[in-house]
Amino acid sequence: MKIEILDEVAEKTGFNEKEMLEFLSVWLYKSKKINGVQGGEILGTSEIEFHGLLEKYGQYVNYGINEYLEDSDNLKDF
């Protein structure tokens, strides 16, 4: 998919192309439409780098009780 944004609209946001992709990926993540891996893929980074970017936009990693329990179970296998 390719998304084009008119220069006039982009100028109003004050975002450059990279920042626009960051904003879009963070918004999609915040809306629970994508996960951290997919957020990183949009930006061409890792999930860890994407999670680091969330702070820039005042967001936090979506990590609920189910993820915690799954990670806890996985750690028992070590």
Side-chain angles (χ1 to χ4, degrees), residues 20-43:
M20 189 68 75
L21 279 175
E22 288 176 354
F23 183 82
L24 174 62
S25 62
V26 169
W27 181 85
L28 290 169
Y29 181 82
K30 178 183 173 186
S31 301
K32 299 185 183 209
K33 304 289 184 190
I34 63 171
N35 61 36
V37 171
Q38 294 164 326
E41 288 172 346
I42 290 171
L43 300 174

Side-chain angles (χ1 to χ4, degrees), residues 1 6-7 10 13 37 42 66:
M1 174 187 292
L6 295 174
D7 288 338
T13 68
V37 171
I42 290 171
N66 291 335

Side-chain angles (χ1 to χ4, degrees), residues 37-73:
V37 171
Q38 294 164 326
E41 288 172 346
I42 290 171
L43 300 174
T45 66
S46 70
E47 177 182 14
I48 300 299
E49 290 170 311
F50 176 74
H51 285 167
L53 173 72
L54 293 174
E55 185 178 338
K56 176 180 174 181
Y57 291 92
Q59 299 302 312
Y60 300 95
V61 175
N62 294 333
Y63 191 76
I65 188 69
N66 291 335
E67 289 86 4
Y68 172 78
L69 293 173
E70 184 179 318
D71 286 348
S72 178
D73 286 341

